[in-house]
Amino acid sequence: MTLADVLMVIILVGLVLYVVLGGADFGAPVWQVLAGRGPHAEEIREHAHEAMAPVWEANHVWLIFVITVMWTAFPVALGSIASTLCVPLFLAGVGIIARGAAYALRAGTTSSAQVKAIDMVSGISSVLTPFALGAALGGIASGRVPVGNARGDLMTSWLNPTSITIGVIAVISCAYLAAVFLAADAVRRDEPALAAEFRRRALIAGAVAGLVAAAGLVVLRSDARGLFDELVGGDGLVGLIVSALAGIVTVIALLRGRSELARYGSAVAVAGVVGGWALAQAPVILPGLTVDQAAAPHDTLVATLVAIIAGAAILFPSLGLLFRLVLGGRLGDGADEPAAPGAWQLLEASAAGLRGRAAVACAVVGFGFLTVADAGWAHVIGVVALLSAICLGFLAAVPALLPE
């Protein structure tokens, strides 16, 4: 594995995080619009809005991360993609802006008519953005984005059978993820009736997503045969199997009321699809352009990797704290009264120094393997060591965030 491969894997991890977390964010307004007029309609709309409000903006950091790293490490590939697929990417940007504006404006509404209008705008944008991004990925996956500045057709590159199918799958997957996540949040808030409503919606959306995905394979067979062959008979099959198994686990968890397990299962199911596509297309990014060919100079790749790790030292602890507070239902709570130290607190205090020394050691090892060695395996060790240094350093510096 080369350094370029390492960075591409990091990009794919960021893409998976955006698809899962950002996807759940985009799916929530769909259920606001489809809440209907039943006995729990108003509760569904308010829960879909309030549950995502603390994290919706943080979820989009992954899209910025993917674009920035891709731009720096694989500029030719990103330039080709952005120029040929400028129309769907522009539509996705409009949808993201409208989605954020709807969140901000909803807090200032004074009538039900205003809430309904804003929810409709939010719902439309939450369908437009996933579809546009999915259609863009479909253009890349089906080989309709050639290397060069706007070398591909500005319309057929994303308006084709594969792109439309993937766009539809993206929209349904967002609704599916949102329903699963919102069911888990309703359980955490001790609202069983609301949790049952979202579990039912999750099961319906999951079944529809599975049927559309199966139909999508038929579309791929006729429109993108090379990708189809790799998905069903090549390396991409691993991702599809993981996705199918995770989907089954999610269904069982939803039927048994294991909402937290269903949350993780749905995330793995969607991530498996992205991973399957990446494995099926590797090592090609665009037709005639492999990962190594598209990579920036070695020094640029090293600097990019160091910058990613340095940024991760701030980003991951911050997002971890945010999600821990949100999922724990403690966001906005005041500080607890200090308690007398017990055996666990004394053990944690003594362990903090050991974690700090281990973090320094991992940092030294990581920078050594990244800057001195040129082999791909050495870079992998360096990345793992530096990420370990970040985790250990965070645990040593902020022991209060450890679970009780």
Side-chain angles (χ1 to χ4, degrees), residues 90-137:
F90 173 77
L91 293 176
V94 171
I96 291 173
I97 294 172
R99 173 80 169 110
Y103 253 124
L105 293 175
R106 199 177 192 274
T109 56
T110 57
S111 67
S112 60
Q114 291 176 345
V115 172
K116 184 177 180 181
I118 290 176
D119 285 349
M120 183 60 66
V121 171
S122 183
I124 293 173
S125 64
S126 294
V127 171
L128 175 65
T129 301
F131 177 83
L133 292 176
L137 288 177

Side-chain angles (χ1 to χ4, degrees), residues 196-267:
E197 288 288 336
F198 278 110
R199 276 198 295 268
R200 181 173 63 85
R201 285 164 169 76
L203 289 170
I204 295 173
V208 174
L211 292 174
V212 175
L217 290 176
V218 178
V219 174
L220 286 180
R221 190 178 187 278
S222 61
D223 188 60
R225 186 56 185 265
L227 179 63
F228 171 82
D229 291 340
E230 286 295 324
L231 279 174
V232 300
D235 294 337
L237 182 60
V238 176
L240 295 187
I241 293 175
V242 170
S243 179
L245 293 176
I248 294 172
V249 170
T250 303
V251 170
I252 295 174
L254 288 171
L255 293 175
R256 294 187 175 182
R258 301 285 299 277
S259 299
E260 198 62 30
L261 176 60
R263 190 201 298 266
Y264 292 112
S266 64

Side-chain angles (χ1 to χ4, degrees), residues 67 72 107 113 141 158 171 185 196 252 282 292 309 364 382 385 402:
I67 293 175
T72 308
W158 65 283
V171 173
D185 287 336
I252 295 174
D292 288 334
I309 295 171
V364 172
L402 290 173

Side-chain angles (χ1 to χ4, degrees), residues 1-37:
M1 178 178 287
T2 64
L3 184 56
D5 292 328
V6 173
L7 283 168
M8 182 55 70
V9 169
I10 292 175
I11 290 173
L12 289 172
V13 170
L15 181 61
V16 167
L17 289 170
Y18 182 67
V19 169
V20 173
L21 300 175
D25 170 48
F26 282 118
V30 174
W31 300 119
Q32 290 178 261
V33 175
L34 299 179
R37 299 179 180 274

